[in-house]
Amino acid sequence: MRAFDIDRLIDDPRTRIIVCCGSGGVGKTTTAAAVGLRAAERGRDVVVLTVDPAKRLAQSMGLSELDNNPRRIEGVEGTGELHAMMLDMKRTFDEIVEAHSDPDRAKQILANPFYQSLSSSLSGTQEYMAMEKLGQLHRSGAWDLIVVDTPPSRNALDFLDAPERMGRFLDGRFMKLLAAPAKTGGRLGVKVLSAGFSMFTSVINKVIGVQLLRDVQTFVTAFDTMFGGFRERAQKTYELLQTPGTAFLVVAAPEPDALREASYFVERLAEERMPLAGVVVNRVHESSGLSGARSLAAAETLNERGDHPLAASLLRLHAERMQLSAREGRLRDHFTSAHPTVPVAAVPAQPEDVHDLDGLRQVSADLAANSAA
Amino acid sequence: MSARDTDWDGVRLHVVTGKGGTGKTTVAAALALALAVGGRKVLLVEVEGRQGIAQLFDTPPLPYGERRVAVAADGGDVYALAIDTEEALIEYLEMFYNLKRAGKALSKLGVVDFVTTIAPGLRDVILTGKASEAVRRKNKDGSYVYDAVVMDAPPTGRITQFLNVNTEVAGLAKVGPIRNHADVVMSVIRSPQSAVHFVTLLEEMPVQEALDGIHHLGESGIPIGAVIVNMERSPVLPKGDLDAAAAGTLDLDQITHGIKAAGLEHDADRITAVLAREAADHARRTALEAREKARLADLDGPRYELPLLGDGMDLAGLYDLAQSLRNQGAA
């Protein structure tokens, strides 16, 4: 197994973007924050972009809450700076609309019911806006290093696919068709007419309903000039993710589902030629010396003799922990044998959640200890 | 349906949610097994395309169709269905509009993309719509096809939005076919025939999400079911020892004596140090679990507890969890 070296990654000035991905509940957000903090304390100017609305992370960094603008984190030791922000997808979407259309048109779009639903839905929009925000932060040039925590997708594919899918949709034939009745006789309109345009609108009317269709059409007409831009930016961000300045960290926990998802992600990143830096396995129970079997045997000896109940209980506790550790070890071995070239780091389980910068520092120190081990 | 004295007599749609990593798929499967005991027929539905049910029951990935995946104690059947949004949409078009071929054409034009990934709420209406169709489906003799439907639902952070399809499509479709469909779905989800169960671990974030989820769902008038505490550890140390371990005042000499007495002469001091450190972790963890449990204590409604399985999750473990749910009155 190759050990993942976090310090080499964050100390390399060529590393400009770190993307943390993985399934929900594996400590992705905490990993992103810990990596950001460590990089800042080692001299980088870092912004952490999270999509997790939980206030705990903000509080652990000394803020009551995070919003769509980067906030400076106090208490960072060393020469670097740490900023953190939470993606507000509606705000981000609104800003794009405002930036790319004149005030009247922007107002019209922002008031459209279809736009309002689209911009606050969680399916697709969040992933798209996370990528949009990442592109913005990168283009601003204000940050030496950007650490992103990806949305908890229903499956690992969503965050890579959603921008493309949304771009394809906003730009696509369907939208143009919907817009077609408003513009008379476009080339596409003529082509579709021959393919039975009236069938198309009657089906759409039946399924979607007249009112919604009208909202969508109004939206499309108003939004028309922005379509190309969306697609183009999505494509640029996608290409940015493929450059050597980007590093993907796949975050997992030593559980079958989380590691299966991690495997899937590792393969997918390779397919898309996205640069994978390593896999971080959180909440690992390390094995420490005395084997579970010997520990259990010793506990049984004491129980039979009826003395030293405390030592017997502690030996049992240790045996349980070793049993867990052995199971986790098997799962990790299974993963590494399937992906022998992928560097892996293990972060020990903390008895309690992370509450402050010291907690984040501990996590990052544990992460860094892997390369030394 | 046999009248059994359980907490959920009359409930036919069980929605199981929980923060990621809490084991909601496992709990949903165990609940389905528990409900099927004694010759009943239960459908376990997956909506997130992860094929978690197939993994759990150790079967090949589920196609879009209802397949029997397990037999419960005393001869009940658990069927499973992984809902594919695209297939469900085309099926819906066919069922209500007789539009199968049009559905394919729409798919080419990107309409299916639109519904399944872009248009907010439409995807959820399709998914919840399919589940509520299974709840309402009847045999020729008028009896229900399934005695119960258990849904492995999206995570807690999204559950209210997911189930509250009416509100979700309200801004989008005030009238029309989507709205009508949403109304039918909503009448099932809001009825006393439904219950939404929250799976949690005794950890801060999952408990917080469960409490927030219950609060939001309560506001929307959707019936809340049980809180299911998953992967609970049994206490190993008595209270006095826990306090001492937390305070770092365990009698280390005494422990070293014990270790030597157990035959681990060699290395006894080092082992003692490891055990004391683990005991301190365990004490902090136990205190945290007690705090989190106290936060759940004020909730109305039943609470079930499922043990952590030391050997990890397997089929035998799943049946054990099902039995445990039955013993606690969940089925």
Side-chain angles (χ1 to χ4, degrees), chain B residues 103-147:
Chain B
K104 293 224 168 96
L106 295 185
S107 176
K108 275 196 194 138
L109 284 169
V111 179
V112 171
D113 262 354
F114 169 74
V115 172
T116 56
T117 64
I118 310 286
L122 296 192
R123 178 192 164 104
D124 293 350
V125 178
I126 296 292
L127 294 172
T128 49
K130 179 64 193 169
S132 66
E133 181 272 318
V135 170
R136 286 173 293 136
R137 199 188 306 160
K138 287 185 175 172
N139 295 312
K140 285 206 180 87
D141 65 2
S143 62
Y144 285 115
V145 171
Y146 291 107
D147 294 301

Side-chain angles (χ1 to χ4, degrees), chain A residues 18-21 27-30 32-33 48-53 57 87 130-131 147-152:
Chain A
I18 296 176
V19 184
C20 298
C21 44
K28 203 166 33 188
T29 306
T30 305
V48 174
L49 168 62
T50 180
V51 292
D52 187 351
L57 180 80
L87 178 74
M131 291 302 105
V147 182
V148 208
D149 152 40
T150 56

Side-chain angles (χ1 to χ4, degrees), chain A residues 243-280:
Chain A
T243 61
T246 299
F248 279 84
L249 278 187
V250 174
V251 186
E255 284 145 23
D257 289 347
L259 283 172
R260 198 164 45 237
E261 201 94 343
S263 260
Y264 189 51
F265 226 115
V266 165
E267 285 156 21
R268 184 67 204 280
L269 289 172
E271 239 170 67
E272 306 280 333
R273 287 176 292 133
M274 300 274 178
L276 172 68
V279 174
V280 176

Side-chain angles (χ1 to χ4, degrees), chain B residues 268-285:
Chain B
D269 287 333
R270 202 183 57 81
I271 293 172
T272 301
V274 168
L275 294 191
R277 199 174 61 232
E278 288 176 359
D281 272 6
H282 177 70
R284 285 168 67 191
R285 169 97 208 168

Side-chain angles (χ1 to χ4, degrees), chain B residues 165-178:
Chain B
V165 284
N166 242 351
T167 314
E168 223 186 334
V169 300
L172 211 54
K174 289 182 186 66
V175 288
I178 292 176

Side-chain angles (χ1 to χ4, degrees), chain A residues 77-359:
Chain A
E77 295 163 2
T79 54
E81 280 198 10
L82 179 62
H83 285 72
M85 62 177 294
M86 187 186 86
L87 178 74
D88 178 336
M89 62 178 172
K90 176 144 178 51
R91 192 64 236 137
T92 304
F93 210 150
D94 289 356
E95 282 168 7
I96 298 171
V97 170
E98 284 160 356
H100 291 89
S101 45
D102 60 72
D104 281 352
R105 182 159 288 199
K107 218 166 140 190
Q108 197 189 349
I109 295 174
L110 298 184
N112 184 285
F114 177 73
Y115 169 78
Q116 287 174 355
S117 297
L118 182 69
S119 61
S120 52
S121 101
L122 280 175
S123 43
T125 310
Q126 194 178 30
E127 282 82 357
Y128 187 89
M129 290 304 143
M131 291 302 105
E132 181 74 36
K133 197 47 134 180
L134 171 61
Q136 284 177 13
L137 290 170
H138 179 75
R139 283 193 300 275
S140 78
W143 312 100
D144 178 29
L145 177 66
I146 305 167
V147 182
V148 208
D149 152 40
T150 56
S153 301
R154 56 191 87 222
N155 69 55
L157 294 170
D158 275 11
F159 116 88
L160 285 176
D161 290 343
E164 163 69 15
R165 229 173 346 196
M166 187 151 170
R168 195 169 70 214
F169 161 70
L170 287 174
D171 246 6
R173 280 214 284 165
F174 176 49
M175 283 302 230
K176 295 218 170 73
L177 272 175
L178 289 177
K183 314 181 207 167
T184 44
R187 192 178 58 85
L188 190 71
V190 175
K191 209 163 99 193
V192 172
L193 267 172
S194 59
F197 184 71
S198 59
M199 183 282 274
F200 173 77
T201 38
S202 97
V203 166
I204 293 288
N205 265 332
K206 253 191 193 167
V207 178
I208 297 183
V210 182
Q211 170 244 333
L212 175 54
L213 184 62
R214 209 181 305 121
D215 284 344
V216 174
Q217 279 171 342
T218 317
F219 167 75
V220 171
T221 313
F223 211 72
D224 195 34
T225 51
M226 293 171 62
F227 286 158
F230 261 87
R231 185 95 185 243
E232 203 178 301
R233 281 198 305 279
Q235 187 58 31
K236 275 206 178 117
T237 309
Y238 183 87
E239 283 162 12
L240 176 65
L241 293 178
Q242 289 177 321
T243 61
T246 299
F248 279 84
L249 278 187
V250 174
V251 186
E255 284 145 23
D257 289 347
L259 283 172
R260 198 164 45 237
E261 201 94 343
S263 260
Y264 189 51
F265 226 115
V266 165
E267 285 156 21
R268 184 67 204 280
L269 289 172
E271 239 170 67
E272 306 280 333
R273 287 176 292 133
M274 300 274 178
L276 172 68
V279 174
V280 176
V281 185
N282 281 328
R283 304 202 190 116
V284 168
H285 295 84
E286 297 288 355
S287 137
S288 44
L290 185 63
S291 79
R294 283 184 72 206
S295 188
L296 198 58
E300 276 164 9
T301 307
L302 291 180
N303 282 1
E304 272 167 26
R305 292 172 26 177
D307 51 350
H308 296 294
L310 174 59
S313 300
L314 293 184
L315 286 164
R316 264 181 211 287
L317 194 62
H318 180 72
E320 271 179 25
R321 203 183 163 101
M322 289 305 100
Q323 183 191 24
L324 184 61
S325 166
R327 177 159 61 87
E328 292 176 357
R330 283 194 298 276
L331 290 168
R332 279 159 66 197
D333 287 347
H334 185 74
F335 178 85
T336 44
S337 63
H339 308 282
T341 58
V342 176
V344 178
V347 177
Q350 305 281 333
E352 288 170 301
D353 283 327
V354 173
H355 283 108
D356 48 25
L357 284 186
D358 282 339

